[in-house]
Amino acid sequence: MPFMRRGPGLVRGVARTAVVAGTATAVSGRVARRQQNKYAAQDQQAAAAAPAPAAAEPEYMAELEQLAKLRDQGILSPEEFEAKKKQILGV
């Protein structure tokens, strides 16, 4: 009985499958790298755009406010207030 070929041979089918699988792997790797780069760029932008932490109010501000209240109430004279303010500020 003569040998008749019906469609692609086994080797050709395996080779085609390997090429398709290799192409799919390369494409998925490229997509993954592109996404990683995109997300890394977004993270860098977010870090650069993040507001700087607010500076805490210096401790001497509260003390000066208290002294100003005492001056306004008449407990401290303006001269006493200025002397104490200079002492606190180190002037």
Side-chain angles (χ1 to χ4, degrees):
M1 173 156 128
F3 177 71
M4 297 182 72
R5 189 174 231 173
R6 297 179 195 232
L10 179 63
V11 173
R12 187 179 292 167
V14 170
R16 184 175 297 146
T17 301
V19 168
V20 169
T23 302
T25 301
V27 169
S28 69
R30 210 171 327 145
V31 168
R33 279 191 303 280
R34 210 176 286 153
Q35 285 177 340
Q36 287 174 346
N37 292 338
K38 176 183 171 185
Y39 294 139
Q42 286 176 348
D43 289 344
Q44 288 175 351
Q45 287 176 352
E57 184 178 87
E59 293 178 25
Y60 63 85
M61 289 299 293
E63 198 171 345
L64 288 174
E65 288 173 359
Q66 273 189 325
L67 287 173
K69 286 180 186 177
L70 292 173
R71 179 198 59 203
D72 294 343
Q73 292 172 358
I75 298 171
L76 289 177
S77 69
E79 294 80 21
E80 290 172 322
F81 172 77
E82 288 300 321
K84 189 65 177 169
K85 182 173 91 172
K86 287 179 182 180
Q87 179 186 5
I88 292 170
L89 296 175
V91 180

